[in-house]
């Protein structure tokens, strides 16, 4: 079973997760370059990750600060699709930033009992 992040992204499809799990330094370097901007340079060490739902393990900096993740951990849900308040403002704000419509579609399917 796939590790589905609170927001609906699938961890096993994330290059940061894949690079970390496979100890693939070149993938981590390439991902850090792609995710960097002129205002904010990302280092490979910033994106080491053992998955969104992991606690006490390596977590990429973006996920460690993720409002839906922190809320989901506090509420004790496996992902936001299982939360009584789904979809909420903080989740919509994240989706607006990550531009990953597949994440919402996956959580919608989970919510409907088809995920």
């Amino acid at each position: 079973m796939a590790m589905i992040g609170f927001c609906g992204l699938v961890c096993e499809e994330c290059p940061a997760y894949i690079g970390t799990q496979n100890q693939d330094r070149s993938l981590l370097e390439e991902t850090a370059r792609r995710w960097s901007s002129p205002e904010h340079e990302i280092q490979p060490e910033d994106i080491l990750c053992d998955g969104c739902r992991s606690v006490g393990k390596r977590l990429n900096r973006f996920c460690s600060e993720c409002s839906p993740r922190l809320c989901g951990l506090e509420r004790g849900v496996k992902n936001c699709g299982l939360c009584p308040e789904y979809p909420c403002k903080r989740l919509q704000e994240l989706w607006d930033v990550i531009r990953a419509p597949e994440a919402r579609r996956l959580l919608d399917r989970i919510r409907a009992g088809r995920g």
Side-chain angles (χ1 to χ4, degrees):
M1 183 172 182
M3 182 185 308
I4 300 168
F6 290 92
C7 68
L9 291 175
V10 178
C11 295
E12 288 93 337
E13 296 173 1
C14 173
Y17 179 86
I18 294 167
T20 301
Q21 300 311 301
N22 295 329
Q23 299 179 7
D24 185 340
R25 179 75 183 179
S26 62
L27 178 57
L28 291 168
E29 289 172 351
E30 172 61 25
T31 302
R33 267 194 304 278
R34 283 189 293 120
W35 289 1
S36 289
S37 69
E39 302 82 32
H40 188 72
E41 185 177 343
I42 298 170
Q43 300 299 317
E45 294 74 27
D46 295 332
I47 60 172
L48 293 173
C49 193
D50 290 317
C52 177
R53 293 195 340 239
S54 63
V55 177
K57 295 182 179 182
R58 297 171 294 187
L59 195 62
N60 104 42
R61 187 175 68 212
F62 304 108
C63 294
S64 67
E65 300 169 354
C66 174
S67 175
R69 178 184 176 273
L70 296 172
C71 179
L73 287 171
E74 184 178 303
R75 289 175 179 259
V77 295
K78 288 178 76 172
N79 60 63
C80 293
L82 300 172
C83 179
E85 295 183 28
Y86 175 82
C88 69
K89 181 181 177 183
R90 69 174 56 95
L91 186 57
Q92 186 60 55
E93 289 172 352
L94 176 65
W95 286 336
D96 290 346
V97 170
I98 64 174
R99 295 185 183 105
E102 70 277 6
R104 180 167 192 157
R105 285 192 298 268
L106 176 56
L107 290 184
D108 286 345
R109 285 195 315 271
I110 290 170
R111 181 91 174 165
R114 299 184 319 255

